[in-house]
């Protein structure tokens, strides 16, 4: 292990369940931190649905290797990326058992990340053995938990938090995604998944609340197009900026 690797810190982005926007948050957090001058790499460890190559606009590009060490794929956002999705043929179902997934994750974490000081780790959703092994083996410096405001998602988020607490990984905080929907036609804001649930849960659990990301068609469209909103300007970029500021401050503490 090089001294470079020792000083590199892993930030896990996790959620109790799928579909809450964990990968979206991980990609935008990485980009927003890079825009603040941090050297950041992104590891897509979501074996069930690796979506980072698409989000980061490098779908179909497979990583090279030098002397069996993987070389991350460069993206347009100054954030190099390695994804489970880049290690298997496109469209091939990823039904790996724990040890195989663990081996692939190890290769990605120990890849040639150059001068990256932070690796954002997009974990699979849930709290199974695979996640626990990953957390124990790679010891993230901290974890960001993503949840939607609904009770069901929050119950799962609590489990995810518990997983990190048990593994003695500091929880940086909870971020609420899909928080309020602003109608693009009339401008009225409604709360399809409720409002404020994640903040209340964070307070009850004694962990920091890292802010809200609104539910916006523009976020989904930008993500699908491979240009995460954090790379641009406007409201969603600002919302991800607030999250990145909190993580930045936490890293500096
Ligand atoms: P997860 O990683 O938790 O499974 P994703 O990040 O893949 O979730 O997001 C699931 C879907 O929801 C994607 O189509 C994504 O573009 C969309 N999405 C995520 N966050 C938002 C948001 N704040 N507003 C609109 N769409 C979102």
């Amino acid at each position: 292990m090089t001294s470079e690797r020792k000083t590199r810190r892993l930030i896990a982005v996790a959620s109790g369940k799928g579909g809450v926007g964990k990968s979206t948050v991980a990609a935008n957090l990485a980009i927003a931190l890079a825009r603040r001058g941090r050297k950041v790499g992104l590891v897509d460890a979501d074996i069930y649905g690796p979506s980072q190559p698409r989000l980061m606009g490098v779908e179909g590009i497979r990583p090279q290797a030098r002397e069996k060490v993987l070389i991350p794929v460069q993206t347009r956002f100054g954030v190099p990326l390695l994804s489970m999705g880049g290690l298997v043929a496109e469209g091939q179902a990823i039904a790996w058992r724990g040890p195989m997934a663990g081996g692939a994750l190890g290769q990605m974490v120990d890849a040639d990340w150059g001068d990256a000081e932070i690796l954002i780790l997009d974990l699979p959703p849930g709290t199974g053995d695979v996640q626990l092994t990953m957390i124990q083996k790679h010891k993230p410096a901290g974890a960001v938990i993503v949840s939607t405001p609904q009770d069901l998602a929050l119950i799962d988020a609590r489990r995810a938090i518990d997983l990190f607490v048990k593994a003695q990984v500091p929880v940086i905080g909870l971020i609420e995604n899909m928080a309020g929907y602003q109608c693009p036609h009339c401008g009225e804001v409604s709360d399809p998944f409720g409002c404020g649930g994640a903040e209340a849960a964070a307070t009850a659990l004694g962990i920091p609340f890292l802010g809200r990301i609104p539910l916006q068609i523009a976020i989904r469209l930008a993500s699908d197009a491979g240009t995460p909103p954090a790379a641009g300007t406007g409201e969603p970029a600002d919302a991800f900026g607030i999250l990145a500021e909190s993580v930045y401050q936490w890293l500096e503490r």
Side-chain angles (χ1 to χ4, degrees):
M1 192 186 279
T2 64
S3 57
E4 212 177 41
R5 164 75 181 86
K6 262 190 236 158
T7 54
R8 188 168 296 141
R9 289 185 283 177
L10 263 66
I11 305 283
V13 179
S15 64
K17 58 180 276 221
V20 298
K22 170 185 51 60
S23 300
T24 306
V25 168
N28 284 284
L29 172 62
I31 292 171
L33 280 170
R35 285 186 79 172
R36 280 161 179 73
R38 292 288 192 162
K39 299 267 182 237
V40 189
L42 181 58
V43 178
D44 181 5
D46 190 345
I47 45 172
Y48 307 115
S51 51
Q52 293 299 350
R54 175 173 220 185
L55 280 166
M56 300 292 282
V58 290
E59 211 170 9
I61 303 178
R62 294 173 78 86
Q64 305 290 308
R66 195 184 301 122
E67 288 165 12
K68 293 194 178 157
V69 176
L70 286 171
I71 302 166
V73 173
Q74 288 303 329
T75 67
R76 301 197 310 280
F77 316 106
V79 175
L81 166 73
L82 277 175
S83 169
M84 289 280 190
L87 300 181
V88 291
E90 218 165 303
Q92 184 185 316
I94 303 180
W96 289 347
R97 288 180 178 281
M100 277 175 81
L105 180 71
Q107 275 189 31
M108 294 198 289
V109 170
D110 292 328
D112 182 2
W113 289 101
D115 59 359
E117 36 158 350
I118 303 162
L119 290 187
I120 302 291
L121 191 63
D122 182 4
L123 280 183
T127 52
D129 284 348
V130 175
Q131 286 85 333
L132 190 59
T133 310
M134 285 178 182
I135 292 165
Q136 285 172 342
K137 206 162 170 200
H138 300 287
K139 267 281 169 218
V144 171
I145 313 292
V146 185
S147 178
T148 54
Q150 306 120 288
D151 285 343
L152 258 183
L154 281 172
I155 289 166
D156 291 317
R158 285 196 178 96
R159 288 201 194 102
I161 292 166
D162 203 39
L163 183 78
F164 287 101
V165 171
K166 286 209 173 93
Q168 293 175 332
V169 173
V171 175
I172 301 172
L174 182 65
I175 176 110
E176 184 174 74
N177 188 31
M178 308 190 184
Y181 176 70
Q182 185 174 30
C183 172
H185 306 294
C186 70
E188 189 181 299
V189 177
S190 51
D191 296 305
F193 301 123
C195 182
E199 187 165 11
T203 308
L205 292 164
I207 60 168
F209 180 65
L210 302 175
R212 299 198 161 82
I213 311 293
L215 177 67
Q216 279 192 358
I217 293 172
I219 294 184
R220 189 188 62 73
L221 291 177
S223 303
D224 281 353
T227 48
T233 52
E235 199 203 334
D238 293 345
F240 288 115
I242 291 169
L243 167 66
E245 253 340 295
S246 300
V247 174
Y248 195 114
Q249 295 304 330
W250 185 86
L251 287 162
E252 294 286 308
R253 80 203 186 289

